[in-house]
């Protein structure tokens, strides 16, 4: 039986605007003189910026904490190499010091044997360790899928706040017993919780891709060209390397310096940072941020602002220079002015206000319930909206966990001699059809009664429909800053 392949070169998925770590150009970035990124100059920040006070946790008995730990499906722990608690996904890290000490003891004991502790597995329980000096990360999960990759996401989110250089310097200057949480306090916990939630809610995260907000090609091209032309006209391209518009945790527009690419994991860090900090809605913000895959040793500086007060669209102008706030503020005003005065304004705002996902009805396959398409060349992910029978949050989480497991299996098979090309899995509740080739991965969920031949036919129609609407659902715009 013929399987789904690259039908006569039909491969939807846009152009390569994002990068893997191997293709990212390394740029020398300035190191902060302080060990705290908040000490960097924040020109234009509000003087009466909201002070985040440490919330006192209610008194909870040890038995209640233990009961909570055993009931949750996963836990993430971050501690210093010296055993100091830094972060626990369940909270109450100060009450779990013995548990943190146990993790440290395991890691250091195996290191004394000239080896590294990577994993411990038991029935229905899986533990992964990652020692990134001066940090130790640990995840305990009932699900075994891509746990090490999830620790990488948490580690990179921490590095976005404190670069590698600052982490090492903090312990060198203040000693092994220093509580690094003093430098992470505030919105860092929100961004860490955000990256953990996104892993379980957004398949693009564990597929190392980015979702693109559906929008007409002409509207998206206008946004990108407006950003590029405005920055180029101001002759700030010696500092500005990325111009990005985000909305609803998806990419709207992306302009870059020609020789630099942004890795999907760095873009997810920007998304978590913006959506985990409500203070960005109060006005224009000048924030230092480290993008680990781009350069883990130093900081870029981001001018962050919402395009409209009643919109979720965020404009980020990212520069290597720390003194460009006022210049970028002027550019931001020009960009907003051009957008407001254009004929595209109403359609752009409507697309952002009411995003329209891919409609499965146009395929004409009633047995097709949901799909995820991952173009591995461009790192772009597209999926249909959830519909019946995936109504409740639990049903949707179960479906996403199913995709996570399949993606993990596919990744493992690619490291072996016989890589997976297709999978047809029949379950009581649904049927899964997976297509893997060098250009893309396609995961389709069908009704349990679908025939294999019909699933192949529907997948073929789906690929052709995605290609037909490539300009709406994928990023195919090419706009660069001129150096």
């Amino acid at each position: 039986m013929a399987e789904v392949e690259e039908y006569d070169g039909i491969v939807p998925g846009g152009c390569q605007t994002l990068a893997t770590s191997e293709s990212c150009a390394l740029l020398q970035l300035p190191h902060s003189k302080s060990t705290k990124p908040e000490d960097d100059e924040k020109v234009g920040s509000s003087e009466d910026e909201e002070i985040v006070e440490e919330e006192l946790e209610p008194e909870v008995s040890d038995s209640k904490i233990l009961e909570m730990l055993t009931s949750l499906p996963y836990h993430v722990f971050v501690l210093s190499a010296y055993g100091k608690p830094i972060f626990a996904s369940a909270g109450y890290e100060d009450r779990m010091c013995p548990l943190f000490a146990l993790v440290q003891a395991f890691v250091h004991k195996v290191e004394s044997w000239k080896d590294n502790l990577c994993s411990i597995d038991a029935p229905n329980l899986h533990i992964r360790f990652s020692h990134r000096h001066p940090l130790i990360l640990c995840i305990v999960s009932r699900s075994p899928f891509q746990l090490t990759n999830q620790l990488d996401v948490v580690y990179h989110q921490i590095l976005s706040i404190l670069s590698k250089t600052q982490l090492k310097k903090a312990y060198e200057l203040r000693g092994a017993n220093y509580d690094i949480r003093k430098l992470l306090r505030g919105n860092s916990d929100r961004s860490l919780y955000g990256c953990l939630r996104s892993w379980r809610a957004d398949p693009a995260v564990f597929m190392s891709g980015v979702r693109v907000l559906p929008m007409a090609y002409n509207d998206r091209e206008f946004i990108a060209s407006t950003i590029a032309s405005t920055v180029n006209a101001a002759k700030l391209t010696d500092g500005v390397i990325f111009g990005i518009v985000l909305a609803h945790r998806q990419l709207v527009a992306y302009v870059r310096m020609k020789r630099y690419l942004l890795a999907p994991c760095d873009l997810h860090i920007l998304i978590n940072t913006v959506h985990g900090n409500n203070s960005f809605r109060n006005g224009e913000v000048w924030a230092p941020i480290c993008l680990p895959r781009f350069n883990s040793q130093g900081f870029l500086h981001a001018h962050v602002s919402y395009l409209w007060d009643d919109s979720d669209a965020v404009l980020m102008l990212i520069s290597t220079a720390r003194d460009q706030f006022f210049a970028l503020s002027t550019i931001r005003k020009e960009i907003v002015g051009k957008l407001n005065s254009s004929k595209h304004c109403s359609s752009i705002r409507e697309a952002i206000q009411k995003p329209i996902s891919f409609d499965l009805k146009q395929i004409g396959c009633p047995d097709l319930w949901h799909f995820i398409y991952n173009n591995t060349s461009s790192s772009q992910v597209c999926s249909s909206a959830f519909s019946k029978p995936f109504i409740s949050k639990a049903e949707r989480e179960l479906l996403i966990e199913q995709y996570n497991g399949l993606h993990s299996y596919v990744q493992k098979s690619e490291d072996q001699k016989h890589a997976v090309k297709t999978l047809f899995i029949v379950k009581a509740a649904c049927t899964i059809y997976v297509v893997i080739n060098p250009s893309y991965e396609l995961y389709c969920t069908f009704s349990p009664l679908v025939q294999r031949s019909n699933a192949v036919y529907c997948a073929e129609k789906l690929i052709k429909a995605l290609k037909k609407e490539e300009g709406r659902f994928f990023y195919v715009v090419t706009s660069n800053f001129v150096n």
Side-chain angles (χ1 to χ4, degrees):
M1 181 180 295
E3 303 291 359
V4 178
E5 297 180 356
E6 299 179 23
Y7 305 106
D8 300 324
I10 299 176
V11 181
C15 55
Q16 184 182 8
T17 56
L18 301 170
T20 61
S21 58
E22 291 78 9
S23 60
C24 285
L26 185 63
L27 177 67
Q28 292 300 115
L29 300 178
H31 301 291
S32 174
K33 295 181 180 179
S34 66
T35 58
K36 185 176 180 182
E38 286 83 356
D39 293 337
D40 279 306
E41 182 182 3
K42 294 185 179 179
V43 182
S45 301
S46 174
E47 295 181 358
D48 56 347
E49 184 176 358
E50 178 185 0
I51 299 175
V52 180
E53 297 182 356
E54 184 178 5
E55 296 182 3
L56 296 177
E57 295 175 340
E59 189 64 28
V60 179
S61 66
D62 291 342
S63 60
K64 285 290 185 180
I65 293 177
L66 182 60
E67 182 181 343
M68 176 189 64
L69 289 176
T70 55
S71 65
L72 295 174
Y74 73 94
H75 299 282
V76 174
F77 305 102
V78 182
L79 59 151
S80 73
Y82 313 102
K84 280 283 187 179
I86 296 175
F87 173 78
S89 59
Y92 304 101
E93 59 261 23
D94 285 329
R95 301 282 299 277
M96 293 188 281
C97 288
L99 185 57
F100 281 93
L102 184 63
V103 172
Q104 182 210 23
F106 280 159
V107 171
H108 285 182
K109 183 61 177 178
V110 175
E111 286 181 345
S112 70
W113 301 337
K114 307 297 182 183
D115 206 344
N116 294 317
L117 177 61
C118 297
S119 64
I120 299 175
D121 289 285
N124 299 319
L125 191 65
H126 310 273
I127 308 173
R128 299 293 181 268
F129 302 87
S130 180
H131 190 182
R132 310 286 188 88
H133 189 79
L135 301 181
I136 296 174
L137 297 93
C138 174
I139 183 169
V140 182
S141 174
R142 302 189 192 282
S143 167
F145 304 129
Q146 302 196 77
L147 300 183
T148 302
N149 290 346
Q150 189 170 349
L151 289 181
D152 288 341
V153 170
V154 174
Y155 177 64
H156 289 153
Q157 193 70 46
I158 293 173
L159 288 187
S160 72
I161 305 164
L162 289 173
S163 68
K164 280 186 177 180
T165 303
Q166 289 186 328
L167 274 174
K168 294 178 181 178
K169 191 175 180 181
Y171 286 110
E172 288 173 358
L173 293 178
R174 305 183 185 187
N177 289 323
Y178 180 67
D179 189 351
I180 201 73
R181 288 177 295 178
K182 295 177 181 179
L183 305 184
L184 295 172
R185 185 171 293 145
N187 291 309
S188 59
D189 279 355
R190 296 175 192 169
S191 62
L192 287 173
Y193 286 124
C195 77
L196 291 174
R197 285 193 298 268
S198 65
W199 180 274
R200 284 159 177 78
D202 186 358
V205 179
F206 59 72
M207 289 184 178
S208 300
V210 171
R211 290 188 299 141
V212 177
L213 186 85
M215 179 179 288
Y217 171 82
N218 290 337
D219 292 339
R220 195 187 312 277
E221 195 277 334
F222 179 76
I223 297 173
S225 62
T226 298
I227 295 172
S229 62
T230 306
V231 173
N232 290 336
K235 298 182 179 179
L236 286 180
T237 51
D238 58 333
V240 181
I241 55 175
F242 298 116
I244 303 168
V245 178
L246 305 170
H248 306 293
R249 304 186 68 90
Q250 299 174 75
L251 181 65
V252 177
Y254 169 61
V255 185
R256 61 184 177 89
M257 188 69 72
K258 199 166 187 179
R259 63 181 180 274
Y260 299 121
L261 291 171
L262 193 63
C265 66
D266 283 342
L267 190 56
H268 284 295
I269 283 174
L270 295 176
I271 292 172
N272 289 329
T273 300
V274 168
H275 287 270
N277 192 338
N278 292 329
S279 65
F280 286 145
R281 283 197 174 272
N282 297 334
E284 301 174 39
V285 177
W286 186 238
I289 188 166
C290 174
L291 300 178
R293 287 293 180 89
F294 189 80
N295 190 319
S296 63
Q297 303 297 331
F299 281 89
L300 294 166
H301 297 269
H303 181 280
V304 186
S305 62
Y306 280 80
L307 290 176
W308 301 283
D309 292 338
D310 60 344
S311 173
D312 197 59
V314 179
L315 172 65
M316 305 187 76
L317 299 173
I318 301 175
S319 173
T320 58
R322 60 187 302 170
D323 58 353
Q324 289 188 338
F325 173 83
F326 293 110
L328 293 181
S329 180
T330 300
I331 288 176
R332 182 258 180 196
K333 292 176 183 176
E334 293 182 16
I335 291 172
V336 174
K338 292 177 181 178
L339 292 177
N340 287 335
S341 61
S342 74
K343 64 180 180 180
H344 299 273
C345 184
S346 59
S347 55
I348 289 173
R349 296 193 64 170
E350 184 177 358
I352 293 173
Q353 195 72 21
K354 301 177 181 178
I356 301 177
S357 300
F358 188 91
D359 187 2
L360 287 175
K361 293 180 180 180
Q362 63 182 294
I363 304 299
C365 298
D367 285 328
L368 179 58
W369 289 349
H370 191 267
F371 80 88
I372 295 180
Y373 174 89
N374 177 24
N375 186 298
T376 53
S377 299
S378 65
S379 300
Q380 297 184 39
V381 175
C382 179
S383 65
S384 57
F386 289 109
S387 58
K388 294 180 180 180
F390 308 109
I391 303 300
S392 69
K393 180 181 178 181
E395 290 169 334
R396 296 178 181 185
E397 289 178 347
L398 185 62
L399 178 62
I400 292 174
E401 180 67 14
Q402 185 172 253
Y403 287 138
N404 192 354
L406 289 169
H407 181 70
S408 178
Y409 178 78
V410 167
Q411 296 303 307
K412 289 181 180 178
S413 72
E414 289 180 350
D415 297 332
Q416 302 172 357
K417 291 183 179 180
H418 304 289
V420 171
K421 293 184 178 180
T422 60
L423 292 171
F424 189 79
I425 306 168
V426 180
K427 297 185 176 184
C430 63
T431 295
I432 308 295
Y433 180 55
V434 181
V435 181
I436 307 296
N437 65 41
S439 300
Y440 63 81
E441 302 169 358
L442 178 63
Y443 303 83
C444 296
T445 301
F446 291 90
S447 74
L449 302 179
V450 71
Q451 297 295 315
R452 182 184 179 96
S453 58
N454 191 36
V456 173
Y457 174 71
C458 290
E460 178 179 350
K461 291 186 67 176
L462 175 60
I463 293 294
K464 291 180 178 178
L466 286 172
K467 184 62 178 179
K468 183 179 179 181
E469 297 195 58
E470 185 176 26
R472 172 174 291 276
F473 295 102
F474 298 95
Y475 200 86
V476 297
V477 176
T478 303
S479 294
N480 298 317
F481 296 130
V482 178
N483 191 0

